[in-house]
Amino acid sequence: MSGPTPAQILEAAGVPFSSFPHAPIRTYEDIERELALPAERLLKTLAFRAEDRFVLVSMPMLLPAGYGKIAKAAGVSRSKLRRAGEDDLAVLGMAPGGISPLTEVADRTVVFHPSVPEMGKVYCGSGRDDVTIEVDAAALVELVKPVITDVAN
């Protein structure tokens, strides 16, 4: 694992949050089965590689991602954007199913969908597939300072 965990980043910044363990999750079906959480409060984070940096995109779980819009937000052509593989996630210190917008990896762009700041309490990845973080979306946005733009299809 490289750098502090998402929970450690939140703790160091003094952002209130809670986390809870559960069975490993990777898909939305896993989330529905394992977590009794409201879908409108679930924040998915997708990880991409764009040339020599990471692009992390956080958006409401039920919105479809627009890869062209993500590439534009990251300032790269669509052909230069690829989903991060497990080796890439290892560099971030994250597991599939636990991707978080919270990382201190230097070469990264973090993008949030415009609806995120107003979502209230959200549930997001902890870096692990068996722990979920609950945090206020506005506090998360203030800490991460992402690019905010529409990345949904």
Side-chain angles (χ1 to χ4, degrees):
M1 190 154 193
S2 65
T5 67
Q8 291 167 332
I9 293 169
L10 290 167
E11 286 171 2
V15 175
F17 74 98
S18 60
S19 61
F20 53 94
H22 48 73
I25 56 173
R26 283 206 175 191
T27 65
Y28 182 68
E29 291 75 24
D30 293 342
I31 292 167
E32 284 185 313
R33 184 180 61 252
E34 301 297 335
L35 307 176
L37 299 173
E40 66 275 7
R41 298 280 175 231
L42 298 174
L43 193 62
K44 69 179 170 189
T45 302
L46 307 172
F48 298 90
R49 289 300 299 234
E51 298 170 334
D52 59 348
R53 68 191 153 99
F54 287 97
V55 178
L56 300 173
V57 179
S58 289
M59 59 194 303
M61 176 65 73
L62 299 179
L63 287 181
Y67 285 48
K69 290 179 177 181
I70 292 167
K72 183 177 179 182
V76 298
S77 69
R78 171 64 184 98
S79 65
K80 303 263 186 196
L81 187 74
R82 68 171 175 78
R83 286 295 291 260
E86 289 195 36
D87 290 344
D88 297 317
L89 294 180
V91 171
L92 290 170
M94 297 184 196
I99 303 170
S100 174
L102 295 158
T103 181
E104 291 188 354
V105 169
D107 295 326
R108 73 183 183 295
T109 299
V110 181
V111 180
F112 279 17
H113 186 270
S115 63
V116 173
E118 305 302 321
M119 287 178 69
K121 184 188 314 179
V122 294
Y123 302 92
C124 68
S126 67
R128 297 172 45 150
D129 65 0
D130 61 353
V131 176
T132 293
I133 289 176
E134 176 185 84
V135 65
D136 180 73
L140 185 63
V141 170
E142 179 64 28
L143 176 60
V144 173
K145 299 191 181 343
V147 172
I148 297 180
T149 190
D150 184 5
V151 288
N153 254 353

